[in-house]
């Protein structure tokens, strides 16, 4: 399916942003950040477009836009160690943006950023500054004599910083793994509790149905017994009344009249 005009514009702007990210930019450069914001808007519009591309292509665009956005956020950090650590978590694109590229431009930018931040870390550890005035001959001689020692110390300090970042990443990974295990354990425990509650509720409902059936049976028996008792009592009262009436008549007939 042919690409839409919106997708073509997004690819052109994305290629332009990748080229700007690969170049050396001034700290006050603002165009790249505005372009990345426009890329986000175009990507959201492309996701709901009528002739949108396949999901794999949209995911590739999303990875590249997220990479550029993360790279800009990493550049705003204060220290080079923080920039290097943030750069390690960025994921460049896997497919070239244009047909002229052999390697994805975002991957090249990622490698350039990593090398630049590593160089900045080394410069910070060595204490070098390009703005310093030139030293005199004696100072240069002293620095030349102590340069091997300083290089060894700086290399050791750099290894220490890199090891510290690696340990931090391992610690974060272990904490995330521990949280995942804890979440799994809590989920299984909650599932077991819910299962037991469901079984208890089912048993209670079954017992309630059985008790309702027994109550209905006993109510019918009590109603029948009440009806039988009323019938027997009624017949007994009729018999007693008849007996009293006949006795009174006989009493009146047998007993002499008073003179």
């Amino acid at each position: 399916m042919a690409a839409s005009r919106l997708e073509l514009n997004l690819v052109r702007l994305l290629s332009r942003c990748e080229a700007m990210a690969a170049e050396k930019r001034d700290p006050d450069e603002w165009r790249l950040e505005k372009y990345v914001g426009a890329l986000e808007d175009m990507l959201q519009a492309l996701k709901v477009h009528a002739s949108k591309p396949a999901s794999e292509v949209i995911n590739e665009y999303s990875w590249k836009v997220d990479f550029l956005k993360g790279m800009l956020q990493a550049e705003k950090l204060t220290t080079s160690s923080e920039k290097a650590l943030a750069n390690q978590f960025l994921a460049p694109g896997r497919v070239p943006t244009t047909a002229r590229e052999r390697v994805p431009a975002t991957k090249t930018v990622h490698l350039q950023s990593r090398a630049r931040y590593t160089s900045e870390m080394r410069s910070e550890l060595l204490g070098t500054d390009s703005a310093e005035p030139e030293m005199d001959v004696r100072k240069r001689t002293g620095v030349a004599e102590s340069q091997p020692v300083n290089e060894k110390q700086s290399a050791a300090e750099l290894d220490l910083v890199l090891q510290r970042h690696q340990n931090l990443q391992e610690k974060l990974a272990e904490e995330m793994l521990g949280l995942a295990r804890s979440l799994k354990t809590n989920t299984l425990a909650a599932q077991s509790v819910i299962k037991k509650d469901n079984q208890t509720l089912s048993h209670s409902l079954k017992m309630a149905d059985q008790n309702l059936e027994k109550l209905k049976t006993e109510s019918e028996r009590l109603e029948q017994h009440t009806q039988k008792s009323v019938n027997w009592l009624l017949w007994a009262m009729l018999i007693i009344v008849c007996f009293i009436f006949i006795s009174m008549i006989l009493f009146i007939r047998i007993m002499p009249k008073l003179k």
Side-chain angles (χ1 to χ4, degrees), residues 184-197:
K184 182 179 179 180
T185 303
N186 294 334
T187 304
L188 293 176
Q191 184 178 0
S192 177
V193 172
I194 293 173
K195 186 176 180 180
K196 291 181 179 179
D197 292 342

Side-chain angles (χ1 to χ4, degrees), residues 5-35:
R5 183 179 297 274
L6 179 60
E7 184 179 0
L8 292 176
N9 293 334
L10 186 143
V11 171
R12 293 193 186 99
L13 185 57
L14 180 59
S15 179
R16 176 59 179 164
C17 291
E18 292 173 349
M20 292 179 64
E23 298 173 355
K24 186 176 182 181
R25 291 171 285 109
D26 295 331
D28 298 332
E29 178 63 40
W30 54 270
R31 291 181 299 172
L32 181 58
E33 187 172 359
K34 296 295 183 181
Y35 290 166

Side-chain angles (χ1 to χ4, degrees), residues 14 39 65 69-70 98 150 239:
L14 180 59
L39 277 176
V65 174
K69 185 178 178 181
T98 60
N150 291 334
I239 292 172

Side-chain angles (χ1 to χ4, degrees), residues 46-248:
L46 184 62
K47 290 180 179 179
V48 297
H49 197 267
S51 58
K52 63 180 180 180
S55 59
E56 293 80 5
V57 179
I58 293 181
N59 292 334
E60 183 67 23
Y61 292 154
S62 301
W63 287 334
K64 292 181 180 180
V65 174
D66 292 340
F67 171 79
L68 294 173
K69 185 178 178 181
M71 185 196 69
L72 292 176
Q73 292 177 354
E75 290 179 353
K76 295 179 182 179
L77 298 176
T78 55
T79 61
S80 58
S81 59
E82 293 177 350
K83 294 179 181 179
L85 182 60
N87 185 71
Q88 291 181 0
F89 290 100
L90 297 179
R94 298 177 296 181
V95 180
T97 305
T98 60
R100 294 175 297 177
E101 299 177 1
R102 294 185 178 180
V103 179
T106 51
K107 184 174 294 185
T108 304
V109 173
H110 190 218
L111 296 176
Q112 290 177 353
S113 302
R114 181 184 299 178
R116 183 171 67 253
Y117 295 146
T118 304
S119 178
E120 290 178 1
M121 290 173 60
R122 186 181 297 274
S123 299
E124 289 180 359
L125 293 175
L126 292 174
T128 57
D129 191 357
S130 59
E132 292 181 355
E134 294 184 356
M135 298 181 179
D136 54 9
V137 178
R138 293 181 180 178
K139 290 184 179 179
R140 289 180 181 178
T141 305
V143 171
E145 292 177 354
S146 60
Q147 187 175 2
V149 178
N150 291 334
E151 288 182 354
K152 292 181 180 179
Q153 292 178 354
S154 63
E157 292 176 354
L158 180 60
D159 293 339
L160 181 61
V161 171
L162 294 177
Q163 183 66 29
R164 187 180 302 171
H165 288 312
Q166 185 177 0
N167 293 336
L168 180 60
Q169 292 179 2
E170 292 178 356
K171 184 177 179 181
L172 291 174
E174 291 178 357
E175 290 180 355
M176 293 178 64
L177 183 60
L179 290 175
R181 291 176 178 174
S182 177
L183 180 61
K184 182 179 179 180
T185 303
N186 294 334
T187 304
L188 293 176
Q191 184 178 0
S192 177
V193 172
I194 293 173
K195 186 176 180 180
K196 291 181 179 179
D197 292 342
N198 290 333
Q199 292 178 353
T200 304
L201 181 60
S202 300
H203 181 68
S204 300
L205 292 175
K206 186 177 180 180
M207 293 297 295
D209 293 336
Q210 292 179 357
N211 293 332
L212 182 61
E213 293 294 334
K214 291 181 179 179
L215 180 61
K216 186 183 294 184
T217 303
E218 294 297 330
S219 298
E220 292 176 355
R221 290 178 60 186
L222 179 61
E223 185 177 358
Q224 293 177 0
H225 181 69
T226 304
Q227 291 177 357
K228 291 179 180 179
S229 299
V230 171
N231 292 333
W232 282 106
L233 181 62
L234 181 60
W235 283 106
M237 290 179 64
L238 288 175
I239 292 172
I240 292 172
V241 170
C242 292
F243 177 75
I244 294 173
F245 180 73
I246 295 172
S247 299
M248 289 295 297

